Amino acid sequence: MSRTRWRFGLAATAFVVAAGLVTAPAHAEDATDYAITVDPTAKGAKIDDTMYGVFFEDINRAADGGLYAELVQNRSFEYSTDDNKSYTPLTSWTVDGTGQVVNDDGRLNARNRNYLSLAAGSSVTNAGYNTGIHVDEGKKYDFSVWARADSGTTLTVSLQDADGTLATARQVTAKGGWAKYKATFTATRTSSDGRLTVASSAAAALDMVSLFPRDTYKNEPNGLRKDLAEKIAALHPGFVRFPGGCLVNTGSMEDYSEASGYQRKRSYQWKDTIGPVEERATNSNFWGYNQSYGIGYYEYFRLSEDIGAMPLPVVPALVTGCGQNKAVDNDALLKRHIQDTLDLIEFANGPVTSEWGRKRAQMGHPKPFHLTHIEVGNEENLPEAFFARFSQFRAAIEAKYPDITVISNSGPDDAGTTFDTAWKLNKDADVDMVDEHYYNSTQWFLQNNDRYGSYDRNGPKVFLGEYASWGNAFKNGLAEAAYMTGLERNADVVKLASYAPLFANEDYVQWQPDLIWFNNHASWNSANYEVQKLFMNNVGDRVVRSTATGTPSLTGPITGAVGLSTWATTAAYDDVQVTDADGNSLLSDDFSGDASKWTHTGGGSWAVQDGQYVQTDVAAENTMVSAGDTNWHDYDLKVKATKKSGKEGFLVAFGVKDTGNYYWWNLGGWGNTLNAVEQAVDGGKSTLISKAGSIETGRTYDIDIKVRGRQVTLYLDGVEWGSFTDDKPAEPFRQVVTKDKKTGDLIVKVVNAQSTAARTAIDLGGTKVASKARVTTLTADPNAVNSETATPVVPVRSTFDGVADEFTYTFPANSVTFLRIKQK
């Protein structure tokens, strides 16, 4: 039986073959697996100091309960069902006695709508985030509250957990109208389960109940959680992109005022987030919770300044995205947002004599923040509508602030109709920079290292504002590292790049993977973080031309069983036919009997009804059922599919190996706006081909998928919809060489994303170098994941005393290795 060798893939960290595994060849002592050739005479791309940065979005409770150091949850009693269906104004609070949240004219101020009315002899207790309020023995914590009382009222404030007190209780006397009262605690022991209680001797109104650690980042008041901010700083990022993300381009574009009905589901608007914290608006966070705006634009600018990074804000373009996909047609509102953007630039850069520069100075920062870049919009899926509005923002900004770089975007995907249309609009208008976003499988990142090699060198520059492979295991970091060598090699096109998202609180996760994980008492670096840190701290100033040998391999055919699935939809399938290339039947099922040929591996609820196979759970996602042989190849799959109800269409799978490795034709995906073929590798999906389209409810569609070798052709109702050939190698060995102008070092960066070591001949092209190199290596099991209690992925530093003009180095299996070589 012949064995067909496949191209390398990271998925199994081995060579996948049709009939088994191919082991690495034996090598003679002087043989090498790869060769890297450096040409020091060729001038490579200049790498800007701002090449790599971070993207902060309030997702996974990255702000409240995360980077923002406030320990009290729902401190202003503003939680609402607008934020989350389970919320009430007393979420995270427990009242002992009598107390109720009031929204009336007695409030603290117009933008702080709710307050707590507490009866005499009653108390209220806050549960904090995660398991509770965390305090460290011997550390100080600053309490404050805004209170109103008709007569002298004693407020007794205490910290405790189930084992007793955590600090000596404090008392403050409140009297008269609204005023701010303060106290300081010193923790007598360490606990992560603390509770803060405020008890009142007489009737009182309370608002803005707050507890802050004294020890914040840079000791800033209203500051940032120290360990999390320090992890950002340790990356030495060139820029900070903020505040989103989907927060920017979702919800109402109205303000928070009486005129607009104090709308809670609004886009993130910067003027809501500055000034005294008790006067900042509240808002519903797109990711299903409340955001207090305690950390706002001023704090983001201060963070950027503190860590030496360029601030890069994103403002709404008045076209919603992230599944909402609506263009706001309101010229007056558009003009207001454009003016707000101009005001933002003045707030950042204006003199103290200007209106918004004066507001910045009043907040404690008379010096400008030196804003140079601003992004308008985020992942808009309506490119024409977006660009019409973007053009007005751009014209207004360039007219008043010609030195500001205005950044556009290309939608939510790495390819497809929206991407192509957006890029054409940007190119035709000679836009300075375009933001690309994509989240793909490890295989996609290994296959697309050369993505930017074909980009127009004279066209708009690229800001890769969001990217990640689907996971936080070391194999994900390896794939991303391999891809980053391509970003650097094309640094004349890719000017900025940031992994996303930045933070995840382990108890409040809406999206993963994420760079930094934390809870209320600890934080830890993902494997991806270690990769980003290694690159960010060893960028270099210019690329040195280099080439490397690739991995020779042959491709076998796409193999796998077939499958049916749905996503937030009910659907019915019938008349499944699978035939080989000669027309012989491999599978035939009209569901006139049972569904015994099918294996249910996903969610949802499947049953045979009236001669059809029906998935009936409208809320279920990825409900895969599969049938057939995983060794099938060169076949035709035909099926009839009918959407019954729900948000999307239906999915027909082929090349199904297991629950995490398959292809499927996603018809009516992304809120029933796109038809696309996706490939899943180790559970992480990437899009191979996509077109705008939707699926009608109640209509039966004829689907025909022809698999021939590595080529797939798809037919919808007898008409060819599209085709693709999946034959790109997932190259596991990638490298780039850069030069550090300050130190004179050559930095040889090599990724070996396979399960065997790579003995490599390195030719420095006649460069005179010192014999000793400083080496930093990341290596671990490809499935290793860092956690609070275990960190298998950490950098190891060493030296290598064998460098010459030509030398050999063995790069470990599953490794990222940086060699810093001194030039003489």
Side-chain angles (χ1 to χ4, degrees):
M1 183 176 180
S2 65
R3 289 156 57 105
T4 304
R5 197 145 57 103
W6 287 42
R7 295 203 186 270
F8 284 97
L10 186 59
T13 64
F15 304 104
V16 183
V17 295
L21 297 177
V22 174
T23 58
H27 296 286
E29 191 61 32
D30 59 347
T32 55
D33 305 303
Y34 297 94
I36 296 173
T37 304
V38 179
D39 182 1
T41 64
K43 197 171 184 180
K46 180 182 181 297
I47 306 175
D48 294 343
D49 292 339
T50 52
M51 173 75 180
Y52 294 121
V54 295
F55 166 48
F56 181 91
E57 178 175 6
D58 188 359
I59 186 173
N60 309 316
R61 284 207 179 273
D64 295 326
L67 184 62
Y68 188 44
E70 174 66 76
L71 298 174
V72 174
Q73 184 176 176
N74 188 19
R75 66 182 178 186
S76 193
F77 310 101
E78 297 290 343
Y79 277 24
S80 162
T81 52
D82 283 338
D83 309 323
N84 187 295
K85 290 180 180 179
S86 68
Y87 281 1
T88 74
L90 281 172
T91 292
S92 82
W93 292 98
T94 302
V95 174
D96 185 5
T98 302
Q100 61 179 341
V101 174
V102 180
N103 180 343
D104 64 15
D105 291 340
R107 63 179 64 87
L108 179 59
N109 60 66
R111 290 161 68 83
N112 197 327
R113 308 294 291 169
N114 291 348
Y115 63 93
L116 178 69
S117 176
L118 197 63
S122 298
S123 65
V124 63
T125 299
N126 190 266
Y129 296 94
N130 300 91
T131 57
I133 292 172
H134 176 77
V135 295
D136 288 306
E137 182 179 352
K139 293 289 183 71
K140 292 184 181 300
Y141 296 85
D142 292 324
F143 167 82
S144 64
V145 63
W146 283 79
R148 188 190 72 211
D150 293 334
S151 58
T153 299
T154 299
L155 300 178
T156 302
V157 189
S158 58
L159 268 172
Q160 68 283 323
D161 63 10
D163 295 327
T165 60
L166 294 171
T168 302
R170 295 286 184 258
Q171 291 186 334
V172 296
T173 301
K175 56 183 177 180
W178 285 107
K180 188 175 183 179
Y181 301 92
K182 300 179 181 180
T184 297
F185 291 98
T186 300
T188 54
R189 57 188 176 87
T190 297
S191 174
S192 296
D193 308 313
R195 300 291 186 267
L196 176 74
T197 298
V198 181
S200 182
S201 64
L206 306 179
D207 206 347
M208 296 296 292
V209 183
S210 174
L211 186 69
F212 259 87
R214 179 77 57 86
D215 190 17
T216 59
Y217 184 64
K218 302 287 186 180
N219 296 314
E220 295 280 0
N222 194 54
L224 307 181
R225 180 170 148 175
K226 189 175 182 179
D227 62 325
L228 298 183
E230 286 177 342
K231 287 186 182 300
I232 302 175
L235 293 169
H236 295 106
F239 65 88
V240 178
R241 177 177 180 251
F242 61 88
C246 288
L247 306 187
V248 169
N249 69 340
T250 54
S252 166
M253 299 294 164
E254 299 286 349
D255 62 0
Y256 191 64
S257 67
E258 184 177 9
S260 65
Y262 294 103
Q263 294 188 40
R264 290 290 292 266
K265 295 186 177 183
R266 309 184 317 284
S267 62
Y268 196 110
Q269 300 174 43
W270 78 272
K271 289 180 179 178
D272 287 341
T273 76
I274 64 168
V277 291
E278 67 273 9
E279 296 176 10
R280 298 183 188 182
T282 189
N283 202 2
S284 172
N285 183 292
F286 173 82
W287 298 107
Y289 52 89
N290 177 271
Q291 52 189 352
S292 72
Y293 290 143
I295 177 173
Y297 260 71
Y298 179 76
E299 288 75 25
Y300 291 132
F301 278 124
R302 285 299 300 264
L303 171 64
S304 301
E305 181 180 67
D306 284 343
I307 64 177
M310 176 181 78
L312 203 165
V314 186
V315 299
L318 273 71
V319 177
T320 59
C322 301
Q324 296 182 359
N325 301 333
K326 179 182 178 182
V328 179
D329 291 317
N330 184 324
D331 192 55
L333 191 57
L334 176 62
K335 284 182 169 59
R336 193 267 286 175
H337 275 267
I338 292 172
Q339 185 59 51
D340 281 354
T341 302
L342 298 175
D343 293 343
L344 171 60
I345 299 170
E346 184 180 291
F347 176 77
N349 294 348
V352 295
T353 53
S354 67
E355 177 186 359
W356 292 98
R358 183 166 57 252
K359 290 184 183 294
R360 181 193 68 240
Q362 289 168 350
M363 294 186 71
H365 201 282
K367 293 182 179 180
F369 284 118
H370 305 295
L371 177 68
T372 60
H373 292 62
I374 195 165
E375 183 171 358
V376 178
N378 170 77
E379 292 188 10
E380 282 73 25
N381 209 23
L382 301 172
E384 292 90 350
F386 160 73
F387 203 78
R389 291 155 179 78
F390 168 83
S391 298
Q392 294 185 60
F393 277 88
R394 180 191 183 198
I397 295 168
E398 290 181 345
K400 190 169 184 179
Y401 301 105
D403 294 334
I404 297 289
T405 298
V406 186
I407 303 173
S408 180
N409 75 80
S410 59
D413 299 302
D414 61 87
T417 304
T418 295
F419 179 87
D420 293 340
T421 301
W423 258 106
K424 185 177 188 310
L425 291 166
N426 286 308
K427 282 184 178 180
D428 290 348
D430 197 24
V431 168
D432 289 332
M433 188 175 290
V434 177
D435 188 3
E436 294 189 355
H437 294 179
Y438 39 81
Y439 299 87
N440 286 317
S441 67
T442 53
Q443 178 165 302
W444 186 94
F445 282 97
L446 292 175
Q447 288 176 321
N448 287 278
N449 178 273
D450 62 346
R451 174 181 176 89
Y452 295 106
S454 61
Y455 273 50
D456 182 359
R457 267 45 204 170
N458 298 313
K461 301 307 180 185
V462 172
F463 171 23
L464 181 50
E466 296 183 33
Y467 74 97
S469 66
W470 291 111
N472 280 137
F474 186 51
K475 62 187 175 186
N476 300 99
L478 284 169
E480 290 153 8
Y483 193 72
M484 292 171 79
T485 66
L487 299 182
E488 291 191 5
R489 197 161 38 251
N490 292 283
D492 56 328
V493 170
V494 183
K495 306 306 287 183
L496 307 169
S498 50
Y499 179 102
L502 182 60
F503 284 121
N505 185 319
E506 66 173 349
D507 292 333
Y508 308 96
V509 178
Q510 294 86 44
W511 178 279
Q512 53 186 327
D514 305 284
L515 205 62
I516 300 168
W517 288 76
F518 65 92
N519 51 36
N520 66 351
H521 62 274
S523 57
W524 54 97
N525 304 333
S526 68
N528 319 65
Y529 175 96
E530 296 297 350
V531 165
Q532 292 291 323
K533 184 179 179 182
L534 187 56
F535 274 85
M536 288 193 202
N537 284 275
N538 297 276
V539 181
D541 301 286
R542 188 173 291 279
V543 176
V544 180
R545 294 286 178 86
S546 62
T547 57
T549 53
T551 306
S553 62
L554 300 173
T555 59
I558 292 173
T559 64
V562 299
L564 311 171
S565 191
T566 60
W567 199 286
T569 307
T570 64
Y573 292 94
D574 202 0
D575 295 334
V576 179
Q577 301 287 334
V578 183
T579 55
D580 66 20
D582 297 324
N584 301 310
S585 178
L586 300 175
L587 173 69
S588 178
D589 201 338
D590 63 2
F591 303 107
S592 57
D594 56 26
S596 57
K597 297 176 182 178
W598 299 84
T599 300
H600 186 189
T601 55
S605 179
W606 289 85
V608 174
Q609 297 178 1
D610 300 323
Q612 296 179 313
Y613 201 20
V614 184
Q615 198 290 116
T616 58
D617 185 347
V618 73
E621 299 177 347
N622 196 1
T623 64
M624 179 85 81
V625 292
S626 60
D629 192 326
T630 56
N631 292 315
W632 279 353
H633 60 88
D634 297 295
Y635 57 77
D636 292 359
L637 165 61
K638 295 183 178 180
V639 60
K640 295 183 183 297
T642 309
K643 173 183 175 178
K644 309 285 280 186
S645 65
K647 298 177 181 178
E648 303 206 348
F650 35 76
L651 304 112
V652 179
F654 55 97
V656 179
K657 306 297 289 186
D658 53 43
T659 56
N661 296 276
Y662 55 83
Y663 304 79
W664 66 21
W665 192 2
N666 187 345
L667 290 153
W670 294 270
N672 204 15
T673 62
L674 287 177
N675 299 330
V677 176
E678 297 176 278
Q679 181 183 16
V681 177
D682 273 5
K685 291 195 290 291
S686 54
T687 301
L688 302 181
I689 181 174
S690 68
K691 298 179 181 180
S694 59
I695 293 299
E696 297 175 24
T697 301
R699 175 182 166 187
T700 298
Y701 292 83
D702 288 320
I703 295 166
D704 184 1
I705 301 172
K706 296 185 183 300
V707 181
R708 295 293 184 273
R710 305 296 300 177
Q711 182 172 338
V712 179
T713 308
L714 307 105
Y715 298 85
L716 187 62
D717 288 335
V719 178
E720 183 174 335
W721 174 84
S723 65
F724 67 92
T725 303
D726 181 22
D727 63 353
K728 229 177 182 182
E731 173 61 63
F733 187 87
R734 297 291 188 185
Q735 60 79 39
V736 70
V737 180
T738 65
K739 182 178 179 179
D740 187 324
K741 183 170 62 176
K742 183 177 180 180
T743 64
D745 290 352
L746 284 180
I747 312 172
V748 180
K749 312 173 187 184
V750 177
V751 181
N752 181 29
Q754 57 188 322
S755 59
T756 54
R759 183 173 166 81
T760 304
I762 301 174
D763 182 350
L764 297 179
T767 306
K768 296 185 183 302
V769 294
S771 62
K772 185 175 291 187
R774 287 180 291 144
V775 184
T776 306
T777 306
L778 288 171
T779 185
D781 183 280
N783 294 308
V785 176
N786 286 352
S787 68
E788 180 184 353
T789 57
T791 53
V793 183
V794 292
V796 175
R797 292 172 179 83
S798 60
T799 58
F800 174 68
D801 194 5
V803 179
D805 174 33
E806 297 183 28
F807 67 101
T808 299
Y809 191 92
T810 299
F811 296 97
N814 302 308
S815 67
V816 183
T817 305
F818 280 30
L819 303 172
R820 292 194 71 115
I821 302 171
K822 285 281 185 191
Q823 294 187 90
K824 290 183 177 178

